[in-house]
Amino acid sequence: MAQSANALQSPIVRWGMPAMTAAIIVALAFLVVEDQTLRLAMLGVAAADLLVTPQVLKRAARNG
């Protein structure tokens, strides 16, 4: 039986999803949050999301 098309195999999807969520987190950090410590923590989460999520999605596409 042929495998169905998996959207996670596309690098555009794997990098686009975390890029959008990181952009939302960064926008909220600068537009809403006033506490500098919380803002830096949010920027750290956005950076981690941008770097880690594509690797997790790549592994999921390979195993799924």
Side-chain angles (χ1 to χ4, degrees), residues 14-30 33 37-55:
R14 284 196 316 261
W15 285 94
M17 289 171 45
M20 290 302 296
T21 57
I24 292 169
I25 293 170
V26 168
L28 288 174
F30 284 109
V33 176
T37 305
L38 181 57
R39 183 178 292 155
L40 290 174
M42 290 176 72
L43 294 175
V45 168
D49 181 35
L50 192 57
L51 296 174
V52 173
T53 303
Q55 302 305 317

